[in-house]
Amino acid sequence: GDLALKIVIAPDKKAAVAVCAGYNQVGVNVVSLDPKRATEFIPLKRVFNGLVFSRDGKKFYVSGGDSRVIYVFSYANGKATLEREVELTLDSANVFLAGMTVHPVSGTLYVCNEANHEILVLQPETLKVETKISVGQHPHSCVIGGDGQHLYVSNWGSRSVSIVDAKKAVR
């Protein structure tokens, strides 16, 4: 696919997974690392820069931009399969799902909602919204810090970084 928005090496180191949203193809590209070649392309309706593996490495999630959808893939031995599309239940019309990260201990999924200036905290199995955290304008990407306690959020609209206590964010 063209216009790779995010590329992640799979935890088993057998493949790189890229989320692509260019002019020609929209979807997920899986590239074998030995030998280095594209092995599969899975077309999707809409995607953005959110791409993260579950803490056990058996699944990965892709954000669907303004579609309200998170795509859930199963992953094993360098191969991916689309399991399901989950449309998030949100009370706001302002939704644009962007970057995401997974807590390495709890497996909690954190998703940037650029349109509503918030982080959505999701239960990893059901993708049910547990809580929302207000951050700066247009949060684009987020990562869990090395201490495992803090979530760092890149807010493109306000040119800032929000630091969130991840332990307090989960109810």
Side-chain angles (χ1 to χ4, degrees):
D2 56 349
L3 190 60
L5 297 171
K6 178 100 179 208
I7 302 171
V8 175
I9 302 294
D12 66 6
K13 309 282 191 251
K14 293 185 178 185
V17 177
V19 60
C20 303
Y23 179 74
N24 294 311
Q25 296 178 312
V26 174
V28 170
N29 212 56
V30 180
V31 178
S32 168
L33 295 178
D34 186 29
K36 292 176 177 68
R37 62 181 173 79
T39 56
E40 60 185 318
F41 182 81
I42 302 163
L44 300 171
K45 294 174 193 162
R46 290 188 184 137
V47 297
F48 201 55
N49 71 313
L51 169 63
V52 67
F53 274 84
S54 61
R55 71 181 168 149
D56 66 5
K58 294 180 181 178
K59 294 185 184 304
F60 65 87
Y61 308 94
V62 173
S63 63
D66 66 354
S67 69
R68 294 179 172 259
V69 169
I70 294 182
Y71 300 95
V72 181
F73 290 82
S74 58
Y75 174 84
N77 298 314
K79 303 237 183 250
T81 304
L82 178 61
E83 273 186 15
R84 60 195 166 114
E85 299 177 20
V86 177
E87 185 171 339
L88 298 186
T89 303
L90 298 166
D91 53 4
S92 173
N94 297 326
V95 177
F96 193 93
L97 305 176
M100 52 178 57
T101 194
V102 167
H103 193 279
V105 176
S106 69
T108 300
L109 188 64
Y110 300 90
V111 181
C112 295
N113 180 4
E114 280 195 21
N116 213 30
H117 317 299
E118 65 190 358
I119 298 296
L120 305 174
V121 181
L122 308 181
Q123 199 282 333
E125 285 80 30
T126 64
L127 299 185
K128 179 180 178 253
V129 178
E130 292 183 346
T131 193
K132 300 174 194 174
I133 305 164
S134 293
V135 293
Q137 295 176 339
H138 306 292
H140 181 270
S141 298
C142 58
V143 296
I144 296 289
D147 65 1
Q149 181 171 336
H150 293 94
L151 176 71
Y152 296 87
V153 182
S154 168
N155 304 304
W156 282 24
S158 56
R159 297 181 181 179
S160 65
V161 174
S162 295
I163 302 171
V164 177
D165 186 331
K167 288 183 181 178
K168 291 182 181 176
V170 180
R171 292 182 183 174

